[in-house]
Amino acid sequence: MTLLKAPAPIPSRGFCCFGVIMSIGVVQEQTITFESGIRLESGRILAPITLVYELYGTLNADRSNLIMVEHAWTGDAHLAGKRSENDTKSGWWDAIVGPGKLLDTDRYCVLCSNVIGSCYGSTGPASINPKTGKRYNLTFPVITVRDMVRAQELLLDHLGVKRLLCVIGGSMGGMQALEWATQYPERVASVIALATTPRPSPQAISLNAVARWAIYNDPTWKKGEYKHNPKDGLALARGIGHITFLSDESMWQKFDRRFSARDGLFDFFGQFEVERYLNYNGHNFVSRFDANSFLYLAKALDLYDVAWGYESMADAFSRVRAPIQFFAFSSDWLYPPYQTEEMVRCLQELGKTVEYHLIPSAYGHDAFLLEHEAFTPIVRSLLERVSR
């Protein structure tokens, strides 16, 4: 086990070279539809399938420099750069993608695809069912993380890429990375999984269950047949989920027990700052995410098991060919380090090439998005080795 001390935060919105901040610039979202679709783990056929994706950098002549970045639960394909010149917000992992950054677009071509089941353009419950001309809603089939990756394989074939240089992801993205390693071992040269799990714990499942109840009990949800997002239920569900992304230490640091300066201390509806934050975060989420997609992706998380369809985790990991780097974060209580360590021990016993790095962090589960400085040199070293 390697224990890494996270450095103090530094500005991360670009790469500084001789005083010039390098940026990926404006990126263009791309869309592809596969009429044949895929057979899901449930046995149902989902067709056609539309995938939204973004590409950064250029594929080399033999198409061997592609890095796939997998997004987490409510993420999207907008990994880096901006959508327009007037866009004020960069992609969700902009800090590590671009010229001279960890995923150096002068050397690598970087791909991020929105998963099926989402509401950011890829086929999901908010999409129109071509057979009925109406939204799928709850007629959309239950999907798994493995189904998400199966759809992405279609995209790789479309791009003419036989083998990924690397697949990297955190949380649900890490689950997808593990699926690439076990289901398509011949198609990946390296794998990096951050803040993830071989299977969510009963505690994680129970928290998702409570989030589901929040949506189900919103009278405007109407069993998925709503015309307008059930904002109260979805905001509450997001609030529950967001608590799991944080940590006790980070919440003390960010909010302490401060009472909102806007409210009177003995006002019955007065709020602590942490309450106000969760309220803001939850209702802001409603404007950008679909309730049914939230439910379907939560179900996919709960169902995830790297050993699904195998006799054991060892049986599943026996298929792995690529070196795997695992990163866990000390304050992550959603997918705590012991869950990563279980996978590491299993791979070591199988004689597979595996690294484990435990990073001390106060940021909880979200640390993989916020403390990239801690893992950048280690990931860069792996990319250098596999590139050679």
Side-chain angles (χ1 to χ4, degrees), residues 153-174:
E153 189 194 23
L154 296 177
L155 180 56
L156 281 200
D157 292 342
H158 167 72
L159 295 173
V161 175
K162 294 182 178 179
R163 193 168 185 241
L164 290 164
L165 179 67
C166 183
V167 58
I168 177 173
S171 192
M172 190 182 83

Side-chain angles (χ1 to χ4, degrees), residues 16 46 117 147 281 309 361 384:
C16 185
L46 179 61
D147 294 327
N281 186 279
S361 171
E384 291 284 355

Side-chain angles (χ1 to χ4, degrees), residues 350-382:
L350 290 167
K352 304 296 182 178
T353 303
V354 58
E355 298 177 23
Y356 173 50
H357 305 280
L358 175 61
I359 299 178
S361 171
Y363 286 101
H365 186 65
D366 267 353
F368 79 93
L369 293 170
L370 302 172
E371 297 197 295
H372 58 88
E373 296 94 350
F375 60 77
T376 287
I378 305 166
V379 171
R380 180 173 282 126
S381 175
L382 176 64

Side-chain angles (χ1 to χ4, degrees), residues 52-184:
V52 164
Y53 65 98
E54 291 186 7
L55 274 173
Y56 315 86
T58 305
L59 281 169
N60 58 13
D62 61 1
R63 298 178 181 265
S64 63
N65 68 333
L66 187 66
I67 295 175
M68 170 84 84
V69 179
E70 304 285 11
H71 70 74
W73 183 0
T74 58
D76 60 11
H78 188 49
L79 173 66
K82 297 184 177 182
R83 291 187 170 96
S84 70
E85 293 290 352
N86 299 322
D87 196 356
T88 58
K89 187 176 181 180
S90 299
W92 56 269
W93 226 355
D94 184 78
I96 70 167
V97 180
K101 297 180 186 180
L102 174 58
L103 305 185
D104 186 351
T105 49
D106 288 335
R107 299 184 59 187
Y108 311 119
C109 183
V110 181
L111 167 67
C112 187
S113 168
N114 185 223
V115 299
I116 57 171
S118 183
C119 55
Y120 287 123
S122 293
T123 300
S127 302
I128 299 300
N129 182 342
K131 294 180 181 179
T132 65
K134 300 178 181 179
R135 282 170 52 124
Y136 279 102
N137 293 331
L138 298 196
T139 67
F140 194 73
V142 170
I143 58 166
T144 66
V145 174
R146 191 165 294 174
D147 294 327
M148 298 172 190
V149 172
R150 187 171 288 131
Q152 292 165 9
E153 189 194 23
L154 296 177
L155 180 56
L156 281 200
D157 292 342
H158 167 72
L159 295 173
V161 175
K162 294 182 178 179
R163 193 168 185 241
L164 290 164
L165 179 67
C166 183
V167 58
I168 177 173
S171 192
M172 190 182 83
M175 297 175 187
Q176 293 170 74
L178 293 175
E179 288 300 295
W180 277 106
T182 55
Q183 300 306 302
Y184 304 100

Side-chain angles (χ1 to χ4, degrees), residues 307 310-319 346-347 349-350 352:
Y310 296 92
E311 293 183 0
S312 63
M313 184 189 299
D315 188 25
F317 279 153
S318 68
R319 295 172 51 82
C346 183
L347 286 159
E349 290 169 1
L350 290 167
K352 304 296 182 178

